[in-house]
Amino acid sequence: MISPLEVFRTYIKEKGLRNTPERETIIREIFSVHDHFDVDELFLRMRDQKSKIAKASIYRAIPLLIESGLIKEAFFEDGHLHYEPIYGHSRHCHLRCICCGKVVEFVEEEMDNIVDRLAKEYHFNILDHRLDFTGYCAECNNKMNDQDNVDTKELL
Amino acid sequence: MISPLEVFRTYIKEKGLRNTPERETIIREIFSVHDHFDVDELFLRMRDQKSKIAKASIYRAIPLLIESGLIKEAFFEDGHLHYEPIYGHSRHCHLRCICCGKVVEFVEEEMDNIVDRLAKEYHFNILDHRLDFTGYCAECNNKMNDQDNVDTKELL
DNA sequence: ATTGTTATTGTAAATTAATTGCAATAAGAA
DNA sequence: TTCTTATTGCAATTAATTTACAATAACAAT
Ligand SMILES: [Mn+2]
Ligand SMILES: [Mn+2]
Ligand SMILES: [Zn+2]
Ligand SMILES: [Zn+2]
């Protein structure tokens, strides 16, 4: 399987742009963890690896990483965008706990059918979709119930 | 059916907060249009109605409107959040054109089943979900193809 | 109705994410 | 190696959202 770096190099050449060690470092860091990230987090991770890359360079790289199919926007939370690597990852949806932030990923087989149906019905050329569920994970749900019970007892 | 204003008044009382004409104006404006909106847009709409409400008051009202179940975040686009009224609206998904911004709404019956299945499988108390599809609408898709043809001709 | 408490407002300043101008650097084609 | 110009780091800017603060007003209790 072609590596993310190779995919990016091909994209860069195709677009007549220039590849740089900075961009490769960014890609390597993203694909060394394979998890959701935001710009600040990625910047700090790279700083920990002794990288001196400016945050502006990360911001400037992101549209290219999206265009080349390496990453995509995952969700907007806490006032900023979060991204995730998608190259080499199966299309998946998210189940997110609004209490502790835990994210469960899962593949929803039904989605392809829905996309096909919608494309026909609304004459859309559908390129992407995002399916996110939010609620409380088992732990947080239990914690809340316990808390409620405490409150109730206090009131008695 | 209970009006959005009544729902909000009940919520406000329940929370020991105070209702204000400003908040009611905001709710009235949102539910006079029943469409997606962002803060700036809503602010301008209200200014057109000769309302002098400060933008900060809209920002401060939004969490209450969400908490009371009147509106929810719809999507993040063009660098800021967009909201939509949900009270009195059926749960729906979005099909959004990334070229012209057109939004098609539709109800996806399958979602309830998926929610039930996930809740059981992952022991989540699922409160909400967001299903958005993005791509090109028929018109924009055609326009793009025409454009491509022009480009191709120019190259010949 | 009047009063008292304090939540809410408008204004301006602050904060935060993201973008951009600029001069120095360096990628990569020639 | 040379040349062109895309990319970088840095600092300044823009834009969305939040917040401090003093004035106002909601509404519960007189
Ligand atoms: Mn994911
Ligand atoms: Mn909608
Ligand atoms: Zn949780
Ligand atoms: Zn369109």
Side-chain angles (χ1 to χ4, degrees), chain A residues 112-126, chain B residues 95 138:
Chain A
D112 289 340
N113 301 331
I114 296 179
V115 167
D116 288 346
R117 178 156 46 76
L118 290 173
K120 272 187 197 125
E121 187 167 349
Y122 298 103
H123 305 289
F124 255 70
N125 175 14
I126 298 178
Chain B
L95 194 47

Side-chain angles (χ1 to χ4, degrees), chain B residues 50-72:
Chain B
K50 311 300 175 203
S51 161
K52 298 250 183 307
I53 295 170
K55 208 179 271 189
S57 296
I58 299 178
Y59 276 112
R60 281 188 281 232
I62 280 178
L64 303 177
L65 303 187
I66 292 175
E67 264 269 313
S68 62
L70 293 184
I71 70 170
K72 68 181 261 190

Side-chain angles (χ1 to χ4, degrees), chain A residues 28-86:
Chain A
R28 248 186 252 106
E29 181 56 40
I30 292 172
F31 282 87
S32 76
V33 172
H34 286 279
D35 201 5
H36 303 156
F37 64 92
D38 58 47
V39 170
D40 195 59
E41 202 180 306
L42 182 60
F43 173 72
L44 295 176
R45 266 162 57 187
M46 294 176 65
R47 205 187 50 181
D48 288 346
Q49 316 282 325
K50 311 301 175 204
S51 161
K52 299 250 183 308
I53 294 171
K55 208 180 270 187
S57 295
I58 299 178
Y59 277 113
R60 282 189 279 232
I62 280 180
L64 302 178
L65 303 186
I66 291 176
E67 263 270 311
S68 62
L70 293 183
I71 70 171
K72 68 180 258 188
E73 286 181 13
F75 45 82
F76 181 85
E77 201 175 50
D78 300 323
H80 58 267
L81 280 166
H82 295 246
Y83 304 87
E84 67 180 343
I86 53 172

Side-chain angles (χ1 to χ4, degrees), chain B residues 7-155:
Chain B
V7 169
F8 188 70
R9 288 184 190 126
T10 304
Y11 165 81
I12 283 294
K13 187 150 290 177
E14 198 172 278
K15 288 280 176 177
L17 302 174
R18 293 174 190 175
N19 198 11
T20 66
E22 287 81 3
R23 288 169 179 172
E24 300 217 338
T25 303
I26 291 169
I27 293 167
R28 249 186 253 104
E29 180 56 40
I30 291 172
F31 282 87
S32 76
V33 172
H34 288 279
D35 201 5
H36 302 156
F37 65 92
D38 58 48
V39 170
D40 194 60
E41 201 179 306
L42 181 60
F43 174 73
L44 294 176
R45 266 163 56 187
M46 295 176 65
R47 204 187 51 180
D48 288 346
Q49 317 281 324
K50 311 300 175 203
S51 161
K52 298 250 183 307
I53 295 170
K55 208 179 271 189
S57 296
I58 299 178
Y59 276 112
R60 281 188 281 232
I62 280 178
L64 303 177
L65 303 187
I66 292 175
E67 264 269 313
S68 62
L70 293 184
I71 70 170
K72 68 181 261 190
E73 286 181 12
F75 45 82
F76 180 85
E77 200 174 50
D78 299 324
H80 57 267
L81 279 166
H82 295 246
Y83 305 87
E84 66 180 342
I86 53 172
Y87 181 72
H89 294 241
S90 54
R91 281 205 174 185
H92 60 270
C93 310
H94 297 127
L95 194 47
R96 210 144 35 80
C97 177
I98 54 180
C99 175
C100 68
K102 183 192 302 171
V103 177
V104 175
E105 299 188 332
F106 63 94
V107 174
E108 177 53 55
E109 314 287 358
E110 198 56 37
M111 292 312 294
D112 288 341
N113 301 330
I114 296 179
V115 167
D116 288 346
R117 178 155 47 76
L118 290 174
K120 271 188 197 126
E121 186 167 349
Y122 297 105
H123 305 289
F124 255 70
N125 175 14
I126 298 178
L127 301 180
D128 194 20
H129 64 259
R130 185 175 307 175
L131 174 55
D132 278 1
F133 299 84
T134 45
Y136 293 96
C137 72
E139 289 72 40
C140 291
N141 215 30
N142 288 337
K143 247 181 258 163
M144 284 210 313
N145 289 338
D146 292 353
Q147 190 56 46
D148 285 353
N149 291 340
V150 169
D151 288 353
T152 306
K153 278 176 200 161
E154 279 169 350
L155 288 174

Side-chain angles (χ1 to χ4, degrees), chain A residues 97 99-100 102 137 140:
Chain A
C97 177
C99 176
C100 69
K102 184 193 302 172
C137 72
C140 292

